[in-house]
Amino acid sequence: MDLEAEIAKLKRELNAVILAHYYQEGEIQDVADFVGDSLALAQQAEQTKADVIVFCGVHFMAETAKILNPEKLVLLPDLEAGCSLSDRCPPDRFKAFKAQHPDAFVVTYVNSSAAVKAMSDVICTSSNAAKMVAKAPKDRPILFAPDQHLGRYVARQTGRELLLWPGSCIVHEIFSEKRLVQLKVEHPDAEVVAHPECEEAVLRHADFIGSTKQILDRTVESPKQKFIVVTEAGILHQMQQKAPHKTFIPAPPDNGCACNECPHMKRNTLEKLHRCMKDRTPRLDMPPALAQAAYAPLKRMLEWSK
Ligand code: 13P
Ligand code: SF4
């Protein structure tokens, strides 16, 4: 079966839009209507006129689309596609953490569950975290969750003190400082581009730090011809398409495994994408009250990002 053609046909029948994150398999990115970072995908989800949103990403991303479109059908090829950051911040523990700082303004990374979002004042993504923190009231302490490394990076950028939830991403914490330095020595002409979810020791060696979209744009615009890419390896697909004459070297993890691939993102396959569109399931459902509670901080982020 020509899966690509079948997916295109189902898309017309359903009046669906396919949104995909840069960490998806290349063949999924190629059939998507839009490929982007977390912020751009949320913005697309907010603006779409389609009846059905097919989200090729992880659970929290599809949840975000649902919060913004409670009346629409949101499909996710694999409902089990989670996120270590989101999983490591259970709502009950987050509630207790928040209760210890009752006067705090809560800035929550979009890589979190809807229940945690609902307890927040504003949501952020890796591309606008500094902007959101800078807009937080000056006279209140700031809680930042769940990624401690992004939080530390943003605290340095903004000069604001942040109370950090001790979370991290299983993919970005695996990059080895030692092996990155070795790679830099082997390729002295390469620019190092990194995602802010990496540990501080790794970020110290980066020439450019940004969200997946910002990293991609940087590699296209930079005069350099060679890049060491310190984030999930799926992003290389767009880099190779947008700058085919340039060289992209994925940064090595600590232990020679393929751990620079997000196991959650990679649960989605072209076959599962086709099946979910054909069967109209798995679908992302959420209690309306939860969607409503998580809407205000998410909408605030979208407003503050303009
Ligand atoms: P972006 O905000 O760059 O899309 O990052 C999302 C993510 O999950 C990084 O691991
Ligand atoms: Fe979550 Fe990390 Fe995967 Fe991004 S790369 S979705 S933060 S586990």
Side-chain angles (χ1 to χ4, degrees), residues 11-19 33-34 41-54 65 68-69 71-74:
K11 207 173 68 168
R12 284 191 299 274
E13 284 170 15
L14 293 171
N15 186 27
V17 65
I18 303 179
L19 305 180
D33 295 294
F34 184 84
L41 289 168
Q43 288 166 333
Q44 285 292 320
E46 190 192 29
Q47 290 157 16
T48 188
K49 301 267 185 297
D51 294 322
V52 178
I53 299 173
V54 186
L68 294 169
N69 297 279
E71 77 295 348
K72 286 191 177 164
L73 176 61
V74 177

Side-chain angles (χ1 to χ4, degrees), residues 23 58 60 83-85 111 169-172 197 262 264-265:
Y23 294 164
V58 289
F60 77 81
C83 166
S84 59
L85 269 168
N111 298 37
C169 157
I170 49 164
V171 179
H172 288 85
E197 285 177 19
C262 173
H264 306 291
M265 286 278 182

Side-chain angles (χ1 to χ4, degrees), residues 46-174:
E46 190 192 29
Q47 290 157 16
T48 188
K49 301 267 185 297
D51 294 322
V52 178
I53 299 173
V54 186
F55 213 113
C56 299
V58 289
H59 194 271
F60 77 81
M61 294 179 174
E63 260 189 352
T64 300
K66 186 70 182 176
I67 294 164
L68 294 169
N69 297 279
E71 77 295 348
K72 286 191 177 164
L73 176 61
V74 177
L75 299 172
L76 181 61
D78 190 324
L79 216 46
E80 300 297 310
C83 166
S84 59
L85 269 168
S86 181
D87 294 348
R88 289 171 176 179
C89 189
D92 54 337
R93 282 182 43 216
F94 183 73
K95 191 175 174 193
F97 177 63
K98 204 185 143 186
Q100 287 167 10
H101 310 279
D103 55 341
F105 186 83
V106 181
V107 183
T108 299
Y109 192 30
V110 72
N111 298 37
S112 53
S113 64
V116 168
K117 283 188 179 74
M119 289 184 254
S120 310
D121 291 299
V122 70
I123 307 305
C124 71
T125 75
S126 61
S127 63
N128 64 16
K131 197 171 179 179
M132 299 301 113
V133 165
K135 281 182 183 277
K138 301 276 182 286
D139 56 347
R140 286 172 68 186
I142 303 173
L143 283 191
F144 189 93
D147 189 51
Q148 58 176 311
H149 303 301
L150 175 65
R152 241 172 244 122
Y153 172 65
V154 167
R156 280 201 304 281
Q157 275 188 313
T158 57
R160 303 287 301 266
E161 199 177 314
L162 303 182
L163 296 155
L164 300 175
W165 177 269
S168 56
C169 157
I170 49 164
V171 179
H172 288 85
E173 71 185 357
I174 209 83

